[in-house]
Amino acid sequence: MDLIRPSDLSDDQLDHLLREAEHWLEHNRVADKRADRLAGRSVVLAFFENSTRTLLSFDMAAQRLGAMVTTLPAEKSSVAKGETLIDTALTVDAMQADALVMRHPEPGAPDSVAEVIRAAVVNAGDGTGEHPTQGLLDTATIHHHFGRVEGLKVAICGDIRHSRVASSTHALLERLGAKVALAGPTALMPEGHDGPDGIDEAVAGADVVMMLRIQRERLSADLGDKPGEYLERYGLTEDRFKTAAPGAVIMHPGPMNRGVEITGELADSEHSLITAQVEMGVAMRMAVLDLCINGSDDTA
Ligand code: ASP
C-alpha cells in the first residue's frame, strides 16, 4: 500500500502502527538490530529536498529490517538534466523496487507517482502538503510518554502555514481524541487567519507544546524579525513554558533553530522529548515500511 497522507490509514492500521512502533523501539535498543521482515526486498530513497532525520531514519529502518537500500543522489540525478519526476519514478519501478520513499517540494507529487508505479510509495514530505510518518512518530512519542493520546491538550506553535508536520500531526492527534490548538504569527498562519497569534493561550495548560521552525525557504517575504524578537514574541521561553500543564512536555520535529522558536535550555531540558521523537522515528518508519510492503500482520 501507499502512505501519502494520514487518511490513507484505517483505524486498525493506525493502531497496528502504534503497537508495532513500540515493538521496534525495544528491538532497536539491543546490540544486534537485525530483523528479517524485509529480507530480499528493495527500497529506494529519493529526496528532492534537504533532510537529515527523515532520510537517515528511513535508511536505518529499511536496513534494520533486512532490505537492500538504494539512495538516489537527487542533485546528481537525471532530474537535473530535465527528466520528469514521473519518468524517474517509472525508472525506479522498472528496476523492481518494492518501495519508493520520496520527498519532493511539490505538494501532491507522491500522488502522481503512486498513480503510475507498482512499488509502494511512502511520502517523506511533499512541500507544504503532508508528512505522514512525522505525524505518526509524533503521535507514537506522545502515546509512549503519556500512555494515551485521548484528552491531552496539545499546542502546535510557529510556522503553521508552511508546515506539513502541523497538518499530519494535527490530523492524527485529533483522530485519537487530543485537543489540538494551532498558533503562530499571523503571517505564518494559514490563509484567512487574521486573529491574534494565540500562542500564550495555546501554551497555557497544554500537556504537549510542539514548536515549529520558520520555513524561511518557503517564505516569499522577509518576516522583518530582528534577532531575538521572534523568540520573545512567539517562541518557547521559560516564562511561557511555565504556564503549561504540570508534567508538560516539549516537542519539535527538527531541524531546530535554537534561540529563534525555542531556547536552547528548554530544548535540552528534562521536559524535552525531542530526542525521543528521533528515536521513535526509526521505530515508526520500520513499522511503516513493513506495513506498506508486507501488509499488517503484527510482529509484536
Ligand atoms: N523536518 C520537518 C519537515 O521536513 C520540519 C521542518 O523542516 O521544519 O517538514
Side-chain angles (χ1 to χ4, degrees):
M1 69 172 271
D2 304 315
L3 177 60
I4 297 176
R5 49 184 57 76
S7 57
D8 291 339
L9 296 168
S10 66
D11 290 345
D12 281 353
Q13 286 168 329
L14 177 53
D15 277 359
H16 166 84
L17 287 175
L18 291 173
R19 249 190 339 268
E20 287 288 293
E22 288 291 338
H23 164 75
W24 295 119
L25 192 72
E26 287 308 314
H27 171 97
N28 286 334
R29 287 179 176 170
V30 299
D32 185 349
K33 297 174 176 55
R34 279 172 300 184
D36 59 6
R37 293 285 297 177
L38 294 184
R41 301 304 198 112
S42 163
V43 173
V44 173
L45 309 177
F47 279 56
F48 300 96
E49 261 191 358
N50 294 349
S51 177
T52 299
R53 277 152 292 273
T54 308
L55 178 63
L56 279 180
S57 60
F58 266 114
D59 195 339
M60 284 187 194
Q63 292 203 48
R64 288 181 190 179
L65 292 173
M68 295 168 280
V69 184
T70 312
T71 304
L72 176 78
E75 68 292 348
K76 295 200 194 97
S77 72
S78 289
V79 170
K81 296 185 190 169
E83 183 170 73
T84 66
L85 174 66
I86 296 297
D87 283 332
T88 305
L90 288 170
T91 302
V92 169
D93 214 34
M95 291 173 176
Q96 301 295 336
D98 295 288
L100 172 62
V101 179
M102 62 174 283
R103 169 169 286 190
H104 198 275
E106 215 37 65
D111 295 281
S112 18
V113 167
E115 265 170 39
V116 297
I117 72 171
R118 177 203 40 82
V121 174
V122 182
N123 180 9
D126 58 329
T128 55
E130 298 285 346
H131 196 350
T133 58
Q134 180 74 43
L136 285 164
L137 77 88
D138 290 340
T139 304
T141 304
I142 292 173
H143 191 271
H144 183 83
H145 182 84
F146 289 97
R148 69 190 164 101
V149 172
E150 188 160 10
L152 293 176
K153 195 172 166 233
V154 181
I156 305 183
C157 303
D159 186 354
I160 306 293
R161 179 180 296 195
H162 302 103
S163 176
R164 53 198 176 203
V165 176
S167 320
S168 293
T169 300
H170 180 194
L172 285 165
L173 289 176
E174 278 207 340
R175 192 163 151 188
L176 294 177
K179 214 172 153 295
V180 182
L182 303 176
T186 305
L188 300 178
M189 287 300 282
E191 219 79 53
H193 172 98
D194 56 6
D197 64 70
I199 298 203
D200 289 334
E201 293 74 8
V203 173
D207 299 293
V208 178
V209 182
M210 180 178 297
M211 300 309 294
L212 300 173
R213 171 182 77 92
I214 308 170
Q215 310 238 331
R216 294 194 194 265
E217 73 276 28
R218 302 190 207 281
L219 272 177
S220 39
D222 185 11
L223 270 182
D225 51 324
K226 297 188 206 73
E229 192 184 328
Y230 188 91
L231 180 67
E232 275 315 309
R233 292 180 65 181
Y234 312 112
L236 193 60
T237 56
E238 193 66 53
D239 281 349
R240 242 180 219 119
F241 186 60
K242 275 194 200 130
T243 69
V249 295
I250 297 166
M251 296 176 72
H252 194 306
M256 233 182 328
N257 290 135
R258 289 168 182 260
V260 182
E261 71 273 14
I262 186 167
T263 66
E265 291 74 22
L266 283 173
D268 299 331
S269 72
E270 65 199 4
H271 312 290
S272 169
L273 293 186
I274 297 171
T275 52
Q277 288 173 271
V278 176
E279 184 182 10
M280 186 61 88
V282 181
M284 181 52 83
R285 285 167 178 135
M286 290 170 84
V288 163
L289 287 171
D290 188 20
L291 173 68
C292 289
I293 295 175
N294 285 326
S296 52
D297 299 334
D298 282 13
T299 48

